[in-house]
Amino acid sequence: MTSPEDIEKVLSSSVNIDKSFSYHLLHNWLGTGLVTSTGQKWQNRRKILTPAFHFNILKSFSNVFIRQTEELVKKLDLECSKPFTNVSQLIYECTIKIIAETAMCTKFDNDNRDNEEYMKNVHRMGVISTKRLLRPWLYPQIFYCLTEMYRMERNAVKVLHEITTRMIRKRLNEFRLSSNIVKEEQPEETCSGKLRQPMLDLLIKLMVENGNIDEHGIREEVDTFMFGGHDTVATSLGFSLMLLACHQEIQNRVREEVLEVFGNANNKITFKDLQGLSYMEMFIKESLRLYPSVPQISRRLDEPITTASGFYLPKDTEVYIHIVDLHLNEELWPDPYRFDPDRFLPEATKHRHPFAYIPFSAGPRNCIGQKFAMLEMKAILAGVVRSFRLTAVDTPDTLIHVADFVSRTKNEIKVKFERL
Ligand code: HEM
C-alpha cells in the first residue's frame, strides 16, 4: 500500500493489529516483545510500558542524551584532521549507550566489550533475517535448521541474549539489595496510580512485587527496546548528518537556531531548550521523510477492508505498507527528492493528509519511542552543529541502499568535520 487513504484504514483500526509473517523471522531473537506480539499480550504490555516513556521520564533522560553527545563531540574532534569520517560506527556507539543508560539504567563503559559485541551481532541479525525473508523455502523451521545461516543466527542470538540477560540480572540484584531501585529519584505516581520509572526498573518491580511478568518476558522487552531504541535513531542520524553536509544553507539555519537558543558551545544544553528547536524539528522530519528508518511495515488483516480504489481485501491478507514510497509520492510531495525542511512549516502541513507522513507509523501500534527519538536526535544534532562545520563527502547519489528491516547503506556514510 502506498496511498494515505488505504494506509489510514489499516493503521487506525484497533482490530488490525496483527503483524505479518515477516516479523516471525525475528522471534528467535526478540520473542514476542512489543514490536512482534499481538492480541491481549500486546495490549497488556503496551499499557504497562507506556508510562516508561512519559514526558517527565524523558525530561530526566535528557542529561544522558547531552552527556553522551559531549562524548561523541570529543571523538569527532579527533576526526577533524582526517579527510573524512565514517559516521555510522560512532553514532551507533552513542545511541546504544543512550538506550542502555536511560531505559535500562545500565552503563556500557568504554572498556566494556558488550557495546561492540551488541552492535556487531544486531547487524548480523539484520543481514540473516533479510536473507531468509528473500528465500521462502527457508521459512519452515525444519528446513532452516539445516542451514549455515541458522547456525550463524543461533550464535548471534546467543551473544545478544547473554548481554541482555546480564543487564537484567545486574539490575535485579541491585533491586534486591536496595529494595528501592530508584535511588536518585523516587518513581512518580500518575493519576491512575501507575508508577512512572525507566522501563527495566518498571518491569523488574512488576516481576518481583506482582508476578505480572517473568524474566523471559522482561528479556523479550529488553531485546526489543535495545534494538528498536538505538538502530532506528542511529540510522536516521547518519542520513541527517549527510544531509546537513550536502545543504550548507540549511546547515547554517540549523546552527543559527541552536546558537540562538543555547548560546556558544560552552553553555550547557537543557531539556527546555531542546524542545524549543523548531527549525531543527522540521529538518529532522524532512530527513525522516526522505530516509525513514523503517522503510516498510506490514500487517495481517484480522478483518476485511475495501480499499479507496475498490479492492476487497479478505481477512488474513498480508498488507505491506511502503513508508518510503508514500513519502516519495509526488502527488503528496511535489518534487519529492528535493530536500526542503519548509515542507513541515505549520501552513504547509495544514492541508496534507494525516497519513501522508508516517515515519513512526500511526494509530494504536505507532512507535512508543517517538518523543524519546526526537529529543535524542535534537540533542545529538545540536551538539554536533554547534561544534563542527560539516562538508559533503557522500551525497544521496553515492549511497547504495541495501534491503533490511531498518534502512541501511552498503557502506558507512562519510562526512568531513571541521572544528568551528
Ligand atoms: C527515528 C527513530 C524511530 C523511528 C523512525 C521508529 C519507527 C517505528 C515504526 C515505523 C514503528 C512501527 C513498526 C511496525 O508497525 O511494525 C515503530 C514501533 C516501535 N518503536 Fe519505534 N522508531 C524510532 C525510535 C524508537 C525508539 C527510540 C524506541 C524506544 C525507546 C522505539 C521503540 C518502538 C517499539 C517498542 C515499537 C513497537 C510499538 C508497538 O507495536 O506497540 N522506537 N517504530
Side-chain angles (χ1 to χ4, degrees):
M1 277 182 179
T2 54
S3 101
E5 291 79 14
D6 293 342
I7 292 174
E8 180 171 16
K9 279 195 176 181
V10 177
L11 292 186
S12 60
S13 157
S14 54
V15 178
N16 285 323
I17 56 165
D18 264 15
K19 296 292 176 78
S20 72
F21 173 78
S22 53
Y23 293 74
H24 292 207
L25 304 182
L26 297 171
H27 282 187
N28 290 341
W29 170 27
L30 305 180
T32 45
L34 202 64
V35 170
T36 41
S37 60
T38 187
Q40 198 57 47
K41 177 168 179 177
W42 170 75
Q43 267 169 10
N44 291 345
R45 293 270 174 93
R46 178 93 189 194
K47 206 163 145 196
I48 290 172
L49 290 164
T50 297
F53 292 90
H54 183 270
F55 179 81
N56 287 349
I57 291 275
L58 296 186
K59 200 166 156 189
S60 70
F61 289 166
S62 57
N63 288 337
V64 180
F65 299 159
I66 292 159
R67 187 159 28 78
Q68 288 300 342
T69 303
E70 286 165 2
E71 286 289 306
L72 175 68
V73 166
K74 277 187 206 152
K75 287 182 187 158
L76 289 174
D77 253 334
L78 304 175
E79 296 287 314
C80 289
S81 55
K82 300 182 183 168
F84 62 81
T85 300
N86 283 319
V87 293
S88 316
Q89 182 82 11
L90 293 172
I91 300 283
Y92 272 90
E93 223 176 278
C94 174
T95 60
I96 288 180
K97 285 185 178 176
I98 286 177
I99 190 69
E101 204 176 322
T102 52
M104 312 304 162
C105 308
T106 304
K107 270 194 181 158
F108 275 152
D109 300 327
N110 285 335
D111 52 354
N112 187 335
R113 303 235 336 131
D114 279 356
N115 194 353
E116 227 171 90
E117 282 297 306
Y118 186 81
M119 246 180 331
K120 217 162 52 188
N121 285 288
V122 166
H123 186 75
R124 273 188 197 139
M125 282 306 295
V127 173
I128 294 168
S129 316
T130 317
K131 261 191 176 170
R132 190 175 174 202
L133 184 64
L134 300 174
R135 292 167 175 73
W137 59 94
L138 295 183
Y139 289 176
Q141 190 74 7
I142 190 162
F143 296 135
Y144 183 52
C145 283
L146 303 171
T147 63
E148 174 64 10
M149 239 160 78
Y150 171 72
R151 199 187 57 77
M152 283 164 63
E153 177 183 313
R154 222 180 36 190
N155 290 343
V157 168
K158 185 166 172 278
V159 176
L160 292 168
H161 284 175
E162 276 168 6
I163 294 172
T164 46
T165 303
R166 260 202 303 280
M167 284 169 121
I168 298 167
R169 300 252 166 99
K170 182 167 173 276
R171 198 61 186 160
L172 183 59
N173 275 343
E174 286 167 2
F175 179 84
R176 289 204 169 114
L177 280 177
S178 66
S179 76
N180 179 12
I181 198 151
V182 179
K183 292 174 191 124
E184 288 141 31
E185 276 176 49
Q186 287 300 315
E188 214 186 304
E189 206 162 314
T190 65
C191 346
S192 57
K194 285 183 211 142
L195 288 181
R196 268 186 212 133
Q197 53 193 147
M199 190 192 119
L200 182 54
D201 287 1
L202 182 89
L203 295 176
I204 287 179
K205 207 169 164 58
L206 271 182
M207 174 170 85
V208 174
E209 294 181 356
N210 311 350
N212 280 357
I213 190 164
D214 57 14
E215 195 178 325
H216 174 76
I218 295 184
R219 208 195 57 213
E220 288 179 329
E221 298 307 347
V222 171
D223 284 323
T224 299
F225 280 79
M226 277 298 292
F227 167 53
H230 91 276
D231 208 344
T232 47
V233 178
T235 301
S236 172
L237 284 169
F239 290 118
S240 296
L241 293 176
M242 178 203 66
L243 288 165
L244 282 172
C246 291
H247 300 276
Q248 291 295 318
E249 253 177 57
I250 292 172
Q251 184 187 146
N252 288 341
R253 269 186 79 181
V254 171
R255 181 176 302 108
E256 272 159 28
E257 183 187 61
V258 168
L259 293 178
E260 209 171 284
V261 174
F262 302 131
N264 70 32
N266 298 323
N267 289 353
K268 279 267 172 219
I269 296 177
T270 67
F271 174 74
K272 194 161 162 273
D273 294 337
L274 284 177
Q275 287 181 297
L277 295 174
S278 55
Y279 187 71
M280 167 83 85
E281 187 155 327
M282 283 161 46
F283 165 80
I284 295 173
K285 284 182 174 169
E286 174 68 345
S287 172
L288 277 168
R289 179 185 71 81
L290 276 182
Y291 300 107
S293 314
V294 184
Q296 170 193 289
I297 57 174
S298 48
R299 295 280 190 277
R300 192 180 50 79
L301 296 183
D302 271 322
E303 66 178 12
I305 60 163
T306 303
T307 66
S309 48
F311 284 106
Y312 174 76
L313 303 179
K315 182 177 178 319
D316 291 332
T317 304
E318 296 225 332
V319 173
Y320 284 79
I321 295 170
H322 285 248
I323 298 178
V324 70
D325 293 323
L326 172 77
H327 288 181
L328 293 173
N329 178 339
E330 61 183 349
E331 282 172 25
L332 303 165
W333 306 98
D335 196 1
Y337 291 94
R338 189 170 51 88
F339 183 72
D340 179 10
D342 287 349
R343 295 181 199 266
F344 291 93
L345 280 168
E347 57 272 25
T349 51
K350 216 162 38 193
H351 302 294
R352 197 173 290 140
H353 192 289
F355 283 71
Y357 178 71
I358 50 163
F360 295 103
S361 183
R365 289 208 77 159
N366 68 350
C367 176
I368 197 171
Q370 63 178 289
K371 290 206 175 82
F372 179 114
M374 279 308 273
L375 205 61
E376 178 180 354
M377 290 190 286
K378 279 181 171 182
I380 294 176
L381 291 173
V384 171
V385 292
R386 74 174 183 165
S387 305
F388 304 100
R389 169 160 308 284
L390 285 68
T391 39
V393 180
D394 267 321
T395 66
D397 293 336
T398 61
L399 299 182
I400 301 170
H401 295 268
V402 292
D404 202 321
F405 286 94
V406 175
S407 297
R408 286 199 205 288
T409 50
K410 187 169 175 217
N411 304 309
E412 284 202 45
I413 294 176
K414 298 181 221 34
V415 174
K416 164 80 187 137
F417 291 87
E418 264 174 276
R419 201 41 150 133
L420 284 169

